[in-house]
Amino acid sequence: MPKFLRPALCLTLLGLAACDEIAVADDPAALAELRGQKSCVSAVAQQTGAAGVSINTTRPVVELYRHIVDVPGAASWSCITDPNGKAVEIAEQRNG
């Protein structure tokens, strides 16, 4: 890969990542929710070392500041965020 291409690619990806936050910038609750999802995915990916970690959108969650994070080929994780959307606690869910 040419040396100049890597910084350009990184800037493009950062720009795309910021677009979703701009879309909900006028809604503090939606912005905190979006940041919480990103923070939880990042925290679980860092803890497990897994790629393809994502927010589970099929299981209902009724608690505020809580997300279910799926890890491919492994158990799901529960993540709790603070009101600003920062992950403060993660725990692997156990079945059985």
Side-chain angles (χ1 to χ4, degrees):
M1 177 182 296
K3 289 183 181 182
F4 69 89
L5 190 55
R6 183 173 290 178
L9 181 60
C10 289
L11 285 175
T12 302
L13 292 175
L14 286 174
L16 288 174
C19 287
D20 51 359
E21 288 198 16
I22 291 170
V24 295
D26 293 338
D27 185 349
L31 185 58
E33 175 76 10
L34 178 64
R35 288 180 176 166
Q37 290 178 3
K38 289 180 177 181
S39 181
C40 286
V41 165
S42 178
V44 172
Q46 183 178 9
Q47 179 68 29
T48 63
V53 175
S54 63
I55 292 293
N56 181 303
T57 58
T58 60
R59 291 173 49 192
V61 178
V62 294
E63 296 91 354
L64 291 175
Y65 314 123
R66 184 177 299 263
H67 305 278
I68 304 298
V69 182
D70 290 338
V71 178
S76 294
W77 287 65
S78 176
C79 177
I80 299 172
T81 64
D82 65 14
N84 296 316
K86 181 179 179 193
V88 294
E89 182 180 327
I90 61 173
E92 185 176 11
Q93 295 183 336
R94 306 219 184 251
N95 295 332

